Amino acid sequence: MTSGPARLLRDMVRIRVVEETLADHYRDEQEMRTPTHFSIGQEATAVGVCAATRPGDWVYTAHRSHAPYLAKGGDLTAMVAELYGRQSGCAHGRGGSIHLVDRTAGFAGSAAILGEMIPVAVGTAWAFARQGGSRVAVTFFGDGATEEGVFAESLNLAAVRRAPVVFVCENNLYSISSPLAARQPAGPTIRDRAEAAGVTAVQVDGNDVFAVHDAALTALRHCRDGGGPYLLELATYRWREHVGPGHDHGHGQGYRPVEETEAWIARCPIARAADALRERDPGIDRTVADWRERCREEIRDAVAHARQQPFPDVEALLDGAYQPVPR
Ligand SMILES: Cc1ncc(C[n+]2csc(CCOP(=O)(O)OP(=O)(O)O)c2C)c(N)n1
């Protein structure tokens, strides 16, 4: 039973197991020399949206990249090798966690500069439209990125050109340790700001994978039908620290109230999806346990493989960094 709703649940379970395992290795071994931004707790946004895309659609993300990469079908072995800095990594060991790419899967790239990939996705969408056909570009970013000027410029250009781009804001309330309420005036939401720029926009519960998926299907259809850009503002929450494998609530860091974090953990997107499916499939918990076991083997193999791979040659580190000037 891995079609439709069950597939959405399975994909979330896989991402959760992969990230939990990578976080343990990261903490215990100190071998992955790359900053890691885990999406544990936010799996429904990546899975709900990416499952609504087609293979020809391109996905871009910011730094919180593992979940959308895997949800879009990015190669797990190549991702893990990238985190370990190996030549066989998806960016040849030069990018790390923040610079994932798997063009075969339609995962066009992720980048660390806040807002950087938003205009790139708009440009791609505009190119798709000019080529004809029905391809769509999708760009994931956090609420913090919406405070970059390029976000407003990108909304504007996308609206003027009716570019087939889906803006996916994973609103997890914080930009590192800064709460949204300290950064934005009370009143206009991110959805409101998009609408003011002429972009169709909706707010969705980002921990409800089925609601996210339905909204994403609508957004992508709207783009394919020539309706112009669409923004999904998805309310969600990260369970771990901003960067790194640890938990920061209750550790004296104090920027997130413990009760707030616990309330969001109680709204776990995986538990909620399993609850919703249990009525139709009373055996769902057994199935989830089997998936978890299989995913543990898959990630164990990927880590073992990565650790045997060579690092890039020092002399080759600039390969791909510069392009010859065309004459
Ligand atoms: C232009 C720029 N300014 C600042 C930073 C430092 N920085 C990295 S992540 C981050 C916060 C991101 O918050 P958000 O966009 O909400 O994404 P989240 O981490 O919550 O998923 C900041 C300020 C950066 N990478 N780029």
Side-chain angles (χ1 to χ4, degrees), residues 157-173:
L157 184 69
V160 168
R161 299 293 174 189
R162 295 179 75 77
V165 55
V166 179
F167 299 100
V168 182
C169 178
E170 298 180 281
N171 183 351
N172 64 12
L173 301 172

Side-chain angles (χ1 to χ4, degrees), residues 63-64 112-114 142-145 148 172 174-176 238 242:
H63 49 283
R64 213 167 291 289
I113 306 300
L114 229 48
D143 44 290
E148 297 292 336
N172 64 12
Y174 290 87
S175 175
I176 307 186
R238 64 175 154 77
H242 166 71

